[in-house]
Amino acid sequence: LSSSWTSPTIQQGTVNGDPDVDAIFRLTRKSETSPLNVTFDSHAPPVLVPQGVFSPFNSQNTLFHERAFWALLIPTGTTFRMCDIWRGYWAQRLMWEIGDRLAFFPPNAHQNRSAHSYMEDAEDEKDMYFQTDTLIDFLTNWTCPSSMTFFQCVLKLTSDMADKHFWKSEEIDLTSRWLEDLLELGYPEPKRVRHIISDYETLKLENVNISNDNAYKNPTPFTNITFIPVEQKSPQVAALNEEDPIPQKAFKSLSKICPNITTMVSGLNSTFYSNYYYDILLVIVFNLPGFYSNVRYLDALYGQVFPNIIYCGDNASLFAEQTQHLGKQFSFIEEPLDRGTVNYMCAVRAIEMNCNVKGFLIMGDDVLFKHWAFLNSLKDHFWTTFEGRYISINISESNHRWFWWNSEKGKEAFDKTLEDLKSNLSIPQFINSTSLFLDSLWTFTGSSDLIEAAICDVYYIPASKRLQTSWFMKKFHQNRVFSEIVVPTVVRGLETKKDLVRINGSSLWKGRREKPFRFYSK
């Protein structure tokens, strides 16, 4: 994840139903009596393919920005089944020359396909089965002289691929005429970047060790994220056994680690229960890295209820090490949290992933969230910790009884951020005016001198307010304002008191997180 990358110039949306998969997939996965029904994770974030990496893409459900119009050309010197696939690899290698990238998006289309011969398709796809590795090796090692313009590089690669028999020589003349037509129409030829360097190499150059004290002061522009999409049912020729409803699956998961559980709560509507949290991203935050092994219990509690879960903490390698024995992979955001004092940055990074969800439920690893009690909560409003668990602070007061207000992450940092917000400078269009945010905040607290600090171990951000939430949180983060000041302040600045949803919950492990089974065995 990085704010320094530009929008991908070629964007392919995945397709549910009977998309353009290869013949081998259909021959081994499609029943003769029913249509193919492939599904993709509809809530997954867009995936940008880094430079130095190849991924096949085709000509279906694919958006080309104007800057990538040169790549619209479909070759004729290949079989019909291979033309757009080979074009895709050709285009990706050339995109590196101008600093552009390819991206894939969650499904936004459904395809029904006419019946045809899969054996004939397989015959037409032979080059894909047996020549792709050779082509990738060739493209990876291919270079274009620095003296050439981009379109000259396009022609050179086209010619070099013909010399290697990846397609016919007629492709050279077709490409030349295509580029001439583009220039004749006034299409601006893209400029080559000075140096090609893969995104992986960039990460190596700019990455810092987050365990180092200086890492927090000078964080890398990249955020290390491991994303595991929600596994979809794969098409099978033979019918599979029906899965248990969600409550039964959750009960089975918990009973494996809690043998004393012998009964299950009845009366839950399985359909509504499973659908309610389907479009919410649950973000579980570890303030400290020493408790990652407790994912075992967290996954048992929430894994069958929330299809979309991502964990967040400041040590990805330790997280992987402590969860590798659990038999499944987990999504993880690596973010410096300064011992949890700025843990709201987990919410910011989750929002920046641009997942296709209705909202974001942010929760500490030591919270027991009664998810069954919120099946009727409105997803278009903020949820926050229950009334009565907050501290009222006069912002002009320097010596407050609350420790954190007197710290460097308290009044001094808050005042700097407030001054910046009042200046109303350099704000994006979706914010409109920071004065509206401050007016809402003061209306909520009842005075322009008051703010409310509160526990922020669990809160919900509606997707409709995700951009504003992220922007204001990052503003406070610039001065390292303490999380229990930032979260309630941002929520109160973006939500009215009457629309705020109150959350009741309880602390789960507190000071004994190293032995959570003591609490589960009660």
Side-chain angles (χ1 to χ4, degrees):
L1 184 68
S2 174
S3 59
S4 63
W5 286 330
T6 56
S7 296
T9 52
I10 300 180
Q11 304 176 12
Q12 177 156 44
T14 50
V15 177
N16 287 336
D18 194 349
D20 190 21
V21 293
D22 62 84
I24 299 299
F25 186 92
R26 285 198 177 88
L27 288 168
T28 57
R29 293 301 180 103
K30 184 184 180 302
S31 168
E32 293 183 0
T33 58
S34 60
L36 192 65
N37 186 25
V38 175
T39 57
F40 292 90
D41 183 358
S42 61
H43 302 300
V47 175
L48 187 148
V49 180
Q51 293 182 8
V53 176
F54 289 94
S55 180
F57 74 93
N58 60 25
S59 58
Q60 301 181 20
N61 199 33
T62 304
L63 173 69
F64 289 75
H65 283 248
E66 180 185 12
R67 183 174 163 84
F69 278 3
W70 57 269
L72 285 168
L73 179 66
I74 296 289
T76 60
T78 67
T79 64
F80 174 73
R81 294 288 298 174
M82 290 302 302
C83 61
D84 55 350
I85 303 300
W86 254 213
R87 184 274 304 267
Y89 289 126
W90 167 84
Q92 284 178 78
R93 176 58 188 87
L94 290 167
M95 290 168 76
W96 303 354
E97 298 291 328
I98 54 178
D100 286 348
R101 294 174 179 83
L102 162 73
F104 291 91
F105 286 75
N108 58 359
H110 187 280
Q111 184 170 10
N112 297 318
R113 188 173 294 273
S114 301
H116 59 284
S117 172
Y118 302 146
M119 292 302 296
E120 291 181 5
D121 284 353
E123 179 67 23
D124 283 348
E125 293 172 356
K126 283 192 303 184
D127 283 351
M128 181 174 67
Y129 304 141
F130 301 110
Q131 295 297 320
T132 298
D133 286 349
T134 304
L135 175 60
I136 295 302
D137 289 341
F138 165 76
L139 292 174
T140 301
N141 295 305
W142 180 84
T143 59
C144 185
S146 59
S147 59
M148 287 188 172
T149 66
F150 176 64
F151 278 176
Q152 288 174 335
C153 290
V154 173
L155 279 174
K156 183 179 188 306
L157 180 56
T158 304
S159 176
D160 290 347
M161 285 180 62
D163 290 343
K164 296 293 183 179
H165 306 292
F166 292 114
W167 51 35
K168 296 178 181 178
S169 58
E170 64 192 53
E171 224 56 65
I172 303 170
D173 183 59
L174 178 66
T175 303
S176 177
R177 292 175 182 271
W178 166 247
L179 297 178
E180 288 175 4
D181 285 347
L182 287 176
L183 293 173
E184 184 70 22
L185 292 170
Y187 180 78
E189 179 179 357
K191 301 295 183 182
R192 294 180 66 188
V193 295
R194 183 169 299 180
H195 299 290
I196 297 178
I197 181 169
S198 74
D199 291 318
Y200 288 130
E201 291 300 318
T202 303
L203 284 169
K204 291 178 184 177
L205 290 174
E206 300 195 33
N207 194 25
V208 293
N209 182 357
I210 61 172
S211 64
N212 188 304
D213 291 339
N214 292 326
Y216 191 74
K217 299 175 183 177
N218 300 290
T220 171
F222 294 93
T223 299
N224 181 19
I225 294 178
T226 299
F227 175 73
I228 309 298
V230 177
E231 185 175 356
Q232 308 296 300
K233 288 184 178 180
S234 180
Q236 302 287 339
V237 174
L240 299 177
N241 295 330
E242 290 293 323
E243 291 189 356
D244 292 329
I246 294 295
Q248 282 80 358
K249 289 172 69 177
F251 172 74
K252 286 183 177 180
S253 181
L254 274 175
S255 62
K256 289 179 181 178
I257 60 173
C258 303
N260 291 341
I261 296 179
T262 57
T263 59
M264 183 184 70
V265 176
S266 60
L268 293 175
N269 184 317
S270 297
T271 301
F272 182 62
Y273 194 87
S274 61
N275 289 342
Y276 184 77
Y277 293 108
Y278 182 72
D279 54 3
I280 289 178
L281 176 61
L282 175 61
V283 183
I284 299 180
V285 180
F286 286 91
N287 289 338
L288 300 172
F291 306 107
Y292 293 151
S293 59
N294 288 333
V295 167
R296 173 190 180 192
Y297 304 99
L298 294 167
D299 184 58
L301 277 170
Y302 307 114
Q304 304 299 335
V305 179
F306 292 86
N308 308 289
I309 301 178
I310 190 164
Y311 296 89
C312 181
D314 58 15
N315 195 320
S317 59
L318 184 60
F319 179 85
E321 177 185 328
Q322 294 191 4
T323 58
Q324 63 181 352
H325 65 286
L326 298 181
K328 61 184 292 188
Q329 293 178 298
F330 301 93
S331 297
F332 187 80
I333 300 172
E334 185 177 53
E335 177 69 22
L337 299 181
D338 197 12
R339 298 185 64 82
T341 58
V342 291
N343 57 24
Y344 50 89
M345 288 305 295
C346 287
V348 170
R349 299 309 180 204
I351 290 171
E352 290 178 340
M353 289 175 66
N354 200 25
C355 296
N356 181 29
V357 292
K358 190 74 172 180
F360 306 82
L361 181 60
I362 317 300
M363 189 171 69
D365 67 298
D366 59 341
V367 171
L368 176 60
F369 178 65
K370 303 174 183 177
H371 46 76
W372 55 88
F374 290 88
L375 297 178
N376 292 307
S377 298
L378 298 175
K379 297 180 183 178
D380 294 329
H381 296 287
F382 283 90
W383 308 352
T384 189
T385 45
F386 48 93
E387 198 70 38
R389 294 295 298 273
Y390 64 84
I391 300 171
S392 183
I393 298 174
N394 187 317
I395 60 176
S396 62
E397 186 177 348
S398 299
N399 188 20
H400 195 274
R401 59 186 173 85
W402 189 44
F403 167 80
W404 286 106
W405 185 247
N406 301 323
S407 73
E408 62 179 4
K409 299 179 184 298
K411 176 176 170 52
E412 181 181 352
F414 181 87
D415 287 347
K416 288 180 181 178
T417 307
L418 184 61
E419 182 180 348
D420 187 27
L421 291 177
K422 287 181 176 179
S423 69
N424 212 28
L425 298 176
S426 302
I427 61 173
Q429 186 175 1
F430 58 80
I431 295 298
N432 294 323
S433 170
T434 54
S435 61
L436 295 177
F437 170 84
L438 295 174
D439 288 344
S440 176
L441 173 62
W442 308 140
T443 299
F444 196 111
T445 62
S447 171
S448 60
D449 292 328
L450 293 179
I451 62 169
E452 294 174 350
I455 293 174
C456 58
D457 287 341
V458 55
Y459 56 98
Y460 170 83
I461 303 166
S464 59
K465 297 290 182 67
R466 67 189 187 281
L467 296 180
Q468 297 94 322
T469 301
S470 174
W471 189 84
F472 281 109
M473 283 184 169
K474 285 191 288 188
K475 275 293 183 184
F476 282 101
H477 182 253
Q478 289 174 0
N479 295 305
R480 309 295 188 260
V481 184
F482 183 48
S483 58
E484 293 186 5
I485 298 172
V486 173
V487 174
T489 297
V490 171
V491 170
R492 285 154 174 74
L494 296 175
E495 188 69 274
T496 62
K497 183 175 290 189
K498 69 179 181 65
D499 289 329
L500 191 62
V501 178
R502 312 294 178 180
I503 295 179
N504 291 312
S506 58
S507 179
L508 179 59
W509 299 325
K510 293 186 177 179
R512 291 191 289 173
R513 299 186 195 185
E514 75 281 0
K515 295 183 178 180
F517 54 82
R518 291 181 180 177
F519 294 84
Y520 288 103
S521 62
K522 292 180 180 179

